[in-house]
Amino acid sequence: MFRNQYDTDVTTWSPTGRLFQVEYAMEAVKQGSAAIGLRSRSHVVLACVNKAQSELSSHQRKIFKVDDHIGVAIAGLTADGRVLSRYMRSESINHSFTYESPLPVGRLVVHLADKAQVCTQRSWKRPYGVGLLVGGLDESGAHLYYNCPSGNYFEYQAFAIGSRSQAAKTYLERRFESFGDSSREDLIKDAILAVRETLQGETLKSSLCTVAILGVDEPFHFLDQEAIQKVIDTFEKVPEEEEGEDEAGEGEAEAAAAAPAEQGGAGAGDQDVAPMEM
Amino acid sequence: MTFTIQIENGTEVRNAEADSQRTLYPYVTGTSVVAIKYKDGVLMASDMGGSYGSTLRYKNIERMKAIGKHSLLGASGEISDFQEILRYLDELTLNDNMWDDGNSLGPKEVHNYLTRVMYNRRNKFNPLWNTLVLGGVKNGEKYLGMVSMIGVSFEDNHVATGFGNHLARPILRDEWREDLGFEEGVKLLEKCMRVLLYRDRSAINKLQIAKMTEEGVTVSEPYSLKTFWEFKAFTNPTVGAEGSW
């Protein structure tokens, strides 16, 4: 989009009925590194690409535990994401304390969306520059939601956000119909394969991605490096089209994609991404 | 304990007796509530009396009310505070229904919410003068719990309030079983209520029994228990202790 005279204030409408500041906030989400979520009837898997500022630094955390039964993956301004995660944890724990019962994820998502909407209607605020993939459980099973800086939220079977997420989305679109009945292991494998799509040729190692899972009888937790590497290793042996038959799927893998051809190591060229956006 | 606080109201500064804002004594009170878990759910019984001190002033007070789809609340103690609690719960269930999202408040959630309310009021030295019994069934799980006016809260297979703790619980400890059928459960509750009727001065012979199962919550029509007053001990009560009454 191009600059125009209606885009300075979030409280200024354009003649065509758009709020440009809100749309610019959504652009910030697209600049962040990819985050992916998928769900079956009983489990939700969140995965993201670990992007580090430089070789010297560690990568920023993009997946947060909100409660035993809710987790969130973010893309965009990680500082905004951290603040919103803290809000979600606070809401969740207050509900647990009062009702001794887990907060239904659908209700948390609405609270988040209402909070984001406020920032689109105050002249002294700006919209949050972060997209959130919220995975969680409620009485009707597992759910995956996407919360947008505009204050909208949508429920998904599978979704990807951030840079080069289109590649992951294409992969997920091909396979999402089977996710509902997927086993836990297959769901993890699909998440890792979707992450691999966003790397576009770069070698996939377990150090490049983070995977977390939660389910009906499984509290939210991260998968460790070895487990992810094991899943990656299963791809190396099997060509891409046959991954569906793979029965191995060692659960505990972080989202790491298999590394077919050896390219240069990490650090794809995103030098034009602002440092605060990951 | 009395203390005065200053209230500022615009340019006016008033001294207020904080005591007049706090609950000191109950006025219209209900007596025991007794409840048990049984095979298919939970049963609760209470009479319909509201005493004004030692006078049995009101005889048609429903001291058990359904809350949402899954729970039932019974109360003893100050009736007006019970009505206040029902208002709080009404608001709670209304907001829960407005979500319209397939999630609903179960008995455990209502019990914990009430515990928080009662305990917080107690901390402000302004209690809701009730002992509450909360029962219900949700997703096949039976739940029965109690909250007192000072915020003491627990769950059990059978609970009672007030005099019921002294007269009914011992009977239940002896005779309660996990697999009581509906008729057996009602008979057991009636046994407890009959003892309370004989021995509790504030009990009246008009009671209701409520049933909570997976299908829902129902409160029976009021009815009376058969009583027998020709026991030898009743005809000549002071025979063992001359001079007493």
Side-chain angles (χ1 to χ4, degrees):
Chain A
M1 3 183 154
F2 298 108
R3 282 229 62 199
N4 55 72
Q5 53 184 163
Y6 309 108
D7 69 355
T8 309
D9 260 315
V10 73
T11 49
T12 303
W13 287 100
S14 81
T16 54
R18 293 160 72 168
L19 289 170
F20 280 101
Q21 278 296 307
V22 175
E23 296 185 24
Y24 294 166
M26 298 190 330
E27 278 300 309
V29 176
K30 294 182 198 163
Q31 302 295 336
S33 65
I36 286 150
L38 354 50
R39 73 158 169 103
S40 69
R41 244 180 280 285
S42 57
H43 287 81
V44 184
V45 177
L46 298 170
C48 71
V49 174
N50 295 345
K51 176 85 63 68
Q53 291 270 64
S54 72
E55 295 218 359
L56 297 169
S57 72
S58 64
H59 63 86
Q60 285 191 308
R61 206 141 66 93
K62 284 159 53 77
I63 301 186
F64 300 91
K65 171 175 170 172
V66 170
D67 203 337
D68 283 336
H69 68 295
I70 301 181
V72 61
I74 65 172
L77 267 56
T78 37
D80 285 1
R82 212 178 49 239
V83 159
L84 288 176
S85 301
R86 185 163 56 232
Y87 170 75
M88 292 166 77
R89 286 172 174 168
S90 178
E91 289 297 293
S92 197
I93 211 171
N94 285 339
H95 189 273
S96 284
F97 174 71
T98 310
Y99 301 101
E100 201 151 321
S101 194
L103 173 62
V105 64
R107 299 190 180 187
L108 178 61
V109 160
V110 173
H111 287 312
L112 252 183
D114 289 346
K115 197 168 157 69
Q117 191 279 340
V118 167
C119 297
T120 68
Q121 212 175 6
R122 304 283 184 270
S123 60
W124 63 90
K125 286 184 182 252
R126 65 157 175 83
Y128 288 105
V130 65
L132 302 125
L133 280 172
V134 183
L137 304 174
D138 67 18
E139 276 183 38
S140 45
H143 298 270
L144 175 69
Y145 295 92
Y146 170 55
N147 276 74
C148 185
S150 61
N152 282 323
Y153 66 96
F154 309 93
E155 184 165 5
Y156 285 99
Q157 185 78 48
F159 201 48
I161 57 178
S163 72
R164 293 185 288 192
S165 58
Q166 189 50 53
K169 272 192 268 191
T170 313
Y171 172 80
L172 294 170
E173 270 167 35
R174 282 205 314 261
R175 315 246 318 151
F176 77 94
E177 264 148 357
S178 64
F179 289 166
D181 299 310
S182 255
S183 74
R184 181 185 175 279
E185 285 64 36
D186 282 340
L187 208 64
I188 292 171
K189 199 154 45 109
D190 275 315
I192 296 174
L193 284 167
V195 170
R196 186 177 66 162
E197 298 294 313
T198 69
L199 293 173
Q200 294 204 340
E202 208 186 311
T203 317
L204 175 58
K205 302 191 282 275
S206 65
S207 57
L208 268 182
C209 46
T210 306
V211 179
I213 187 169
L214 65 99
V216 166
D217 291 313
E218 192 177 347
F220 178 95
H221 64 101
F222 290 94
L223 303 182
D224 58 44
Q225 294 264 17
E226 297 97 66
I228 296 183
Q229 192 57 50
K230 273 205 221 142
V231 176
I232 298 176
D233 292 338
T234 63
F235 310 147
E236 291 203 53
K237 304 182 180 116
V238 184
E240 226 179 304
E241 302 86 80
E242 278 155 37
E243 72 226 2
E245 305 164 9
D246 208 319
E247 86 283 56
E250 330 283 351
E252 268 47 274
E254 290 175 17
E262 292 310 313
Q263 299 271 358
D270 275 312
Q271 281 91 4
D272 51 354
V273 173
M276 59 186 167
E277 296 167 358
M278 283 305 219
Chain B
M1 166 176 141
T2 62
F3 54 90
T4 57
I5 54 174
Q6 293 206 321
I7 300 175
E8 251 181 343
N9 184 2
T11 51
E12 236 189 327
V13 177
R14 316 197 298 271
N15 277 334
E17 285 289 354
D19 278 358
S20 67
Q21 311 284 341
R22 297 187 295 118
T23 301
L24 294 173
Y25 335 96
Y27 286 91
V28 179
T29 55
T31 185
S32 322
V33 177
V34 189
I36 56 174
K37 282 190 192 169
Y38 76 110
K39 187 159 60 93
D40 304 325
V42 185
L43 288 170
M44 199 187 296
S46 74
D47 69 22
M48 299 193 75
S51 305
Y52 186 58
S54 55
T55 307
L56 296 176
R57 173 89 175 75
Y58 301 101
K59 305 209 183 155
N60 201 27
I61 301 205
E62 284 201 31
R63 295 195 290 116
M64 298 184 296
K65 291 284 187 183
I67 311 291
K69 294 194 286 268
H70 306 280
S71 323
L72 185 85
L73 175 66
S76 67
E78 173 62 56
I79 298 298
S80 65
D81 282 349
F82 175 52
Q83 291 171 344
E84 179 82 345
I85 289 169
L86 289 177
R87 260 191 351 95
Y88 286 154
L89 290 177
D90 212 28
E91 215 178 296
L92 190 71
T93 46
L94 181 72
N95 285 326
D96 192 46
N97 289 337
M98 286 208 308
W99 278 105
D100 197 20
D101 63 353
N103 293 297
S104 57
L105 289 172
K108 180 157 86 124
E109 288 82 14
V110 178
H111 185 222
N112 278 286
Y113 171 77
L114 288 172
T115 306
R116 292 292 114 230
V117 170
M118 300 298 271
Y119 183 65
N120 279 318
R121 290 287 298 252
R122 164 262 195 202
N123 284 342
K124 296 197 272 200
F125 280 92
N126 187 16
L128 288 160
W129 207 287
N130 296 106
T131 307
L132 305 170
V133 176
L134 204 295
V137 185
K138 188 171 175 207
N139 294 338
E141 285 195 35
K142 301 179 273 211
Y143 189 91
L144 179 60
M146 210 175 91
V147 195
S148 76
M149 66 188 255
I150 57 172
V152 175
S153 155
F154 55 89
E155 289 171 61
D156 208 340
N157 291 321
H158 47 80
V159 298
T161 70
F163 261 91
N165 272 310
H166 300 109
L167 299 174
R169 293 298 294 287
I171 301 176
L172 296 172
R173 284 187 203 114
D174 269 347
E175 301 187 21
W176 180 86
R177 286 178 349 253
E178 181 89 50
D179 57 353
L180 286 168
F182 175 70
E183 276 82 25
E184 293 174 291
V186 172
K187 263 183 63 189
L188 184 55
L189 278 181
E190 284 182 349
K191 182 169 179 180
C192 296
M193 296 303 282
R194 186 171 290 110
V195 170
L196 286 167
L197 182 57
Y198 285 135
R199 296 294 177 177
D200 179 4
R201 220 174 50 157
S202 8
I204 63 169
N205 195 2
K206 183 176 176 195
L207 68 145
Q208 292 175 297
I209 297 212
K211 176 169 85 150
M212 295 144 262
T213 60
E214 187 69 49
E215 283 82 56
V217 168
T218 51
V219 182
S220 76
E221 287 297 299
Y223 67 103
S224 318
L225 295 171
K226 282 220 194 46
T227 54
F228 180 72
W229 295 96
E230 306 312 315
F231 288 113
K232 279 238 221 31
F234 293 166
T235 56
N236 196 4
T238 62
V239 72
E242 290 302 325
S244 65
W245 65 95

